[in-house]
Amino acid sequence: MSEAKAEIATPKKKVERKISKPIPPPAVSTALLILRGTIAGITGCSIGNETAASLMQPSFVKDKGPTGKFSVGLGKRNGSLCELDVGMEGDDGDADKETAAALLDAIEKAANRIIAEDLSVVRFQMTREEAVAKYGNVIFDQSQQKPPKKKKDVPPPLDLVYIEGLVLAVSPGPTFSSTGQVKSIELQRGNYMSCVTAGKKARKCEIGIKFKATGLEDSSSTLTELGEPVSMDVIEPLTASKIRLQEGNDFALVQQTKQMLINKDKESKANEATEKKRDEEEMVVDPFSVQGKIDYTKLVKNFGSKVIEPELLQRLYDVTVKRGTVPYLHRFLRRNIFFSHRDLEAILDQVEKNQPIFLYTGRGPSSSAMHLGHLVPFLMTQWLQQAFNCPLVIQMTDDEKFLFKGEYTENAGYNLDYYANLTVENARDIIACGFDPDKTFIFSDLDYVGQMYPNICKIWKSVTTNTVNGIFGFDGSSNIGKIAFPAIQAAPSFASSFPVALNVRNDPSKDNMACLIPCAIDQDPYFRMTRDVAHKLIINQNEHPLRGKPALIHSKFFPPLQGAMGKMSSSDENSAIFLTDTHEQIEKKIKEHAFSGGQDTKKLQQELGANLEVDVSYQWLRFFMEDDDELERIGKEYGSGTGEFWSTGIVKAKLVDVLKNIVTEHQARRKEVSDEVVKAWMKERCLL
Ligand code: TRP
């Protein structure tokens, strides 16, 4: 080997362009050919002009043992010649390490398979012109690209080999043999794959290979027998970018999977970011919009209401369940769905002292079909009415919806009637909630407002436009009805608004009846305003337990099917289960649209369990399933991915079951509510 050293010294001047290099051991030259073939077969590149294999650097001279070094250009990154994204990351020019390693593994594996299967490297000869015509320039490596300078004699025939779908030219004089000459090929690891920049933006990918070829003991420098020239059919389509080896397909698959994971990761990071943004997005809760992630603790703090503490619940229990008016605390109370209050203690004081109180709630009839979320305050109110055995007034704010919804066009006067009609339709659903017919008065603002008018005037005089604008966000462009409306929602908080129903006309002491308002927390602004001016409406302030102020009990929002952000809208068909939905619709909506907090795969679900906090099916079960023990079990099992309720599918099925029953029963009760029945409930009469 030492004598070869002199020959590899780089010629200082271009004296004569003659390729002169030491003759590699047979195992090395055979390995080089096999590697050139496998690289082409794995990457799908045809080794040719653009993607030429470099001259082999004769590292076998310097290094101990039979080693070689060369590189193969894979063409422009993302270019057509390189079918695989070899995973260059960023702009630092370095190949992604894992991908580089995987590619080297694949090449090594394929090369050794070829050796093990003893796929012979067929050698044949042809004139240069003929070979180029037949196989194209792809057969050459860099050293061979230029035809040797014509000498007088006819150029010697070109040595070619065929290996795994590829024909390669062999430089003059190498001692290659069949694969039998080489026992194994080992690729040296390290930073051998790189991405180089050629030109402004064109990035070229290059694989650098350093290998060690172990030869057979008795390997000699004999050439294999010449074979038949390989027919074009065998090697077609040589120039097409096509992965030709199984190892290449495996590699591609690994890369695709990896790419998928990277994409997924990017996606979930992006999602996280938007979610975070949404979280940080200011929470908005007012009667007209509910936005952002609701932080109920913060809400209570901002609004200045109070959390319903266990002691207060115990007191509520004592004056209701213990007195035998109701069998148990409502699940909405047990589960903290009604979670906040104002002056609930004072109401309980009154109940304890057997002093009269009344309940007030309401609904703005914006659509004829009510959904499950709309039931929440009414179900709570029904329970409270039974628990306290007290009168209840229900305000239907058809005026509100008329004033707040949509544009008022020249000929849209009729849509006031439209909302008035919705009142009747919604009243059917409300009546179906099981209130006490003798103690419940449902009224439409449009026809009852006259009785409340004295109180409305008093509230109007007590509240400035600036205050209303500040609370509700109105401004000079708001129609004057909007600015006037809060007084109308405030008025029923005063018993004196019901001279007949609460008998205040005959018994002025009834003016001091305390009022409790169950509502969703977004309605609180109306009643903060009411409470601020309440004392002005009461004749004898000291006689009223709350100096005229209504007490409140607030619920959290019932989450839309798509997820726990904000409140449900009747306008999005698929965000809610309507009380008119069929069993099929319920099943379909839950299965297809209920946001799942479960994991993506069975394995992960069983390992980690679901995120109950965001899982709509579980959250809905909290609202509508009565059995505490079963709910707890579902929470435990689903939350940990174990037991009967380990999966989203099973929990959804349970929810569908529960909802079907509720909706069926509701529909049956609603069917009984004829026009006459509605009229009777909406007739002004004494509830005492
Ligand atoms: N503004 C409520 C809505 O849009 C209706 C309403 C009127 C109300 N009075 C109420 C709700 C008292 C709760 C309590 O639905």
Side-chain angles (χ1 to χ4, degrees):
M1 280 193 204
S2 55
E3 67 266 40
K5 244 183 184 163
E7 288 185 48
I8 60 157
T10 14
K12 296 234 161 49
K13 266 175 199 147
K14 236 172 125 189
V15 186
E16 194 198 336
R17 198 175 157 79
K18 188 184 167 225
I19 302 202
S20 140
K21 53 179 193 165
I23 294 170
V28 172
S29 57
T30 307
L32 170 69
L33 289 170
I34 292 172
L35 287 170
R36 276 176 65 186
T38 48
I39 289 169
I42 281 171
T43 61
C45 293
S46 5
I47 296 180
N49 287 341
E50 247 191 279
T51 56
S54 74
L55 242 173
M56 184 169 73
Q57 299 166 34
S59 59
F60 51 87
V61 177
K62 288 184 286 179
D63 298 349
K64 278 199 205 110
T67 61
K69 222 172 164 183
F70 69 103
S71 63
V72 176
L74 294 186
K76 274 183 198 161
R77 181 186 180 186
N78 299 327
S80 59
L81 289 170
C82 187
E83 197 171 83
L84 293 175
D85 184 353
V86 283
M88 250 60 61
E89 272 184 354
D91 282 322
D92 52 10
D94 281 334
D96 163 52
K97 285 203 180 70
E98 248 176 74
T99 308
L103 182 55
L104 292 180
D105 284 347
I107 294 167
E108 191 176 68
K109 196 171 161 205
N112 285 297
R113 177 177 58 79
I114 288 166
I115 294 165
E117 288 174 6
D118 201 16
L119 298 169
S120 30
V121 179
V122 179
R123 171 184 167 245
F124 58 99
Q125 289 183 323
M126 216 176 247
T127 67
R128 193 176 171 99
E129 287 76 32
E130 206 186 341
V132 171
K134 247 187 152 169
Y135 308 116
N137 275 324
V138 301
I139 59 177
F140 299 118
D141 71 17
Q142 281 171 352
S143 68
Q144 304 156 339
Q145 271 172 359
K146 269 196 190 151
K149 285 235 172 75
K150 272 227 172 106
K151 303 227 172 100
K152 327 133 204 149
D153 314 327
V154 201
L158 194 65
D159 272 331
L160 294 157
V161 291
Y162 167 77
I163 176 169
E164 286 270 314
L166 197 76
V167 171
L168 303 168
V170 191
S171 298
T175 53
F176 69 91
S177 182
S178 75
T179 52
Q181 284 287 1
V182 53
K183 212 165 76 184
S184 73
I185 297 175
E186 198 186 307
L187 302 187
Q188 319 276 286
R189 303 310 154 115
N191 229 349
Y192 287 112
M193 185 155 51
S194 61
C195 185
V196 295
T197 312
K200 245 195 165 178
K201 273 194 176 158
R203 314 198 71 197
K204 283 194 174 175
C205 178
E206 193 178 67
I207 311 177
I209 298 281
K210 187 175 177 188
F211 65 92
K212 188 171 167 192
T214 315
L216 292 172
E217 297 279 302
D218 63 346
S219 68
S220 53
S221 310
T222 49
L223 293 171
T224 42
E225 290 299 303
L226 286 179
E228 281 300 307
V230 178
S231 99
M232 278 296 270
D233 312 343
V234 185
I235 55 165
E236 277 262 274
L238 244 193
T239 43
S241 299
K242 193 160 173 250
I243 293 171
R244 290 176 285 266
L245 295 178
Q246 184 50 41
E247 289 82 358
N249 289 328
D250 295 346
F251 173 69
L253 197 72
V254 170
Q255 283 321 103
Q256 277 158 14
T257 317
K258 193 179 153 191
Q259 199 53 48
M260 256 170 53
L261 288 176
I262 291 172
N263 291 347
K264 222 180 146 189
D265 195 51
K266 275 192 195 145
E267 202 178 292
S268 79
K269 278 208 182 103
N271 282 349
E272 247 170 55
T274 44
E275 217 162 84
K276 204 171 157 224
K277 216 174 127 202
R278 249 197 289 173
D279 280 5
E280 284 165 0
E281 201 177 63
E282 230 197 317
M283 164 175 75
V284 175
V285 176
D286 66 38
F288 319 113
S289 66
V290 175
Q291 272 170 33
K293 193 177 168 175
I294 312 298
D295 178 342
Y296 289 105
T297 317
K298 203 166 143 195
L299 210 54
V300 165
K301 224 178 117 202
N302 291 353
F303 280 11
S305 63
K306 283 188 184 148
V307 164
I308 300 178
E309 304 286 359
E311 297 72 36
L312 187 58
L313 267 193
Q314 182 62 47
R315 266 198 80 195
L316 183 58
Y317 179 91
D318 290 344
V319 299
T320 57
V321 182
K322 265 202 180 159
R323 287 182 167 203
T325 52
V326 277
Y328 33 69
L329 276 184
H330 196 274
R331 58 180 184 273
F332 293 163
L333 294 164
R334 301 198 301 268
R335 296 176 195 160
N336 247 292
I337 287 167
F338 273 79
F339 73 111
S340 151
H341 77 104
R342 291 182 191 272
D343 288 325
L344 181 59
E345 301 96 338
I347 297 291
L348 300 185
D349 288 346
Q350 293 299 101
V351 175
E352 253 170 20
K353 291 188 281 188
N354 292 316
Q355 294 297 309
I357 61 155
F358 75 102
L359 290 164
Y360 158 42
T361 192
R363 160 154 179 84
S366 56
S367 65
S368 63
M370 281 172 63
H371 60 60
L372 279 173
H374 293 140
L375 283 186
V376 171
F378 291 106
L379 294 177
M380 183 77 268
T381 306
Q382 186 279 327
W383 183 89
L384 288 165
Q385 181 182 46
Q386 193 180 336
F388 298 140
N389 188 27
C390 66
L392 159 69
V393 294
I394 300 176
Q395 178 182 41
M396 304 299 290
T397 53
D398 29 25
D399 52 348
E400 175 192 13
K401 295 300 148 183
F402 170 72
L403 291 169
F404 284 81
K405 292 216 155 217
E407 293 293 308
Y408 194 41
T409 55
E410 298 303 323
N411 42 17
Y414 66 90
N415 80 357
L416 186 55
D417 299 344
Y418 167 75
Y419 290 110
N421 286 332
L422 290 185
T423 285
V424 176
E425 280 317 298
N426 284 190
R428 285 185 221 282
D429 282 310
I430 293 169
I431 292 165
C433 289
F435 296 104
D436 182 339
D438 296 328
K439 291 194 162 65
T440 305
F441 174 41
I442 302 176
F443 62 94
S444 139
D445 279 346
L446 286 173
D447 60 55
Y448 184 73
V449 78
Q451 291 287 44
M452 304 192 290
Y453 197 60
N455 279 339
I456 291 168
C457 286
K458 291 177 193 172
I459 299 163
W460 280 340
K461 194 166 181 179
S462 318
V463 183
T464 64
T465 311
N466 281 344
T467 302
V468 172
N469 288 357
I471 297 175
F472 299 98
F474 306 143
D475 58 32
S477 73
S478 307
N479 70 55
I480 59 174
K482 284 190 185 179
I483 291 161
F485 176 76
I488 295 166
Q489 178 152 337
S493 314
F494 304 95
S496 49
S497 290
F498 303 96
V500 174
L502 298 180
N503 203 27
V504 184
R505 188 169 293 152
N506 296 326
D507 178 0
S509 75
K510 290 291 185 285
D511 189 33
N512 299 321
M513 269 173 103
C515 171
L516 173 64
I517 308 173
C519 62
I521 186 107
D522 62 323
Q523 297 295 308
D524 187 68
Y526 283 112
F527 303 114
R528 252 180 288 156
M529 181 200 84
T530 311
R531 287 165 55 95
D532 282 349
V533 301
H535 56 281
K536 297 191 177 175
L537 279 84
I538 298 293
I539 298 158
N540 194 342
Q541 286 177 27
N542 295 330
E543 301 281 303
H544 190 286
L546 284 163
R547 291 169 51 91
K549 287 182 167 69
L552 290 139
I553 161 168
H554 302 122
S555 76
K556 296 180 181 171
F557 303 115
F558 184 64
L561 263 188
Q562 278 76 7
M565 302 288 298
K567 98 178 173 169
M568 275 197 313
S569 102
S570 324
S571 38
D572 181 359
E573 265 278 319
N574 285 324
S575 77
I577 300 290
F578 291 92
L579 296 171
T580 45
D581 280 350
T582 62
H583 284 190
E584 290 69 37
Q585 284 171 311
I586 295 175
E587 191 155 345
K588 192 160 180 276
K589 284 187 193 177
I590 300 288
K591 286 202 171 138
E592 290 176 12
H593 300 288
F595 184 81
S596 168
Q599 306 294 335
D600 285 350
T601 64
K602 180 175 176 178
K603 196 164 162 269
L604 279 177
Q605 172 63 16
Q606 288 176 336
E607 253 169 51
L608 307 171
N611 178 352
L612 301 180
E613 191 73 26
V614 300
D615 189 275
V616 168
S617 305
Y618 177 75
Q619 291 300 327
W620 281 26
L621 282 172
R622 287 188 70 240
F623 277 80
F624 286 106
M625 197 173 84
E626 190 59 51
D627 189 330
D628 286 343
D629 294 339
E630 197 176 9
L631 182 71
E632 195 189 322
R633 201 185 120 203
I634 292 173
K636 266 196 190 138
E637 295 187 349
Y638 187 35
S640 63
T642 57
E644 188 191 341
F645 291 102
W646 69 276
S647 78
T648 301
I650 295 162
V651 174
K652 282 192 173 183
K654 178 76 203 177
L655 176 66
V656 168
D657 235 40
V658 169
L659 296 185
K660 274 182 187 170
N661 281 333
I662 288 176
V663 171
T664 306
E665 281 171 22
H666 182 89
Q667 286 171 358
R669 284 192 303 265
R670 190 185 198 273
K671 242 175 98 183
E672 302 299 308
V673 186
S674 63
D675 288 352
E676 281 64 45
V677 173
V678 176
K679 267 194 197 126
W681 286 71
M682 296 189 71
K683 187 174 151 46
E684 191 186 14
R685 64 211 190 277
C686 183
L687 305 177
L688 300 178

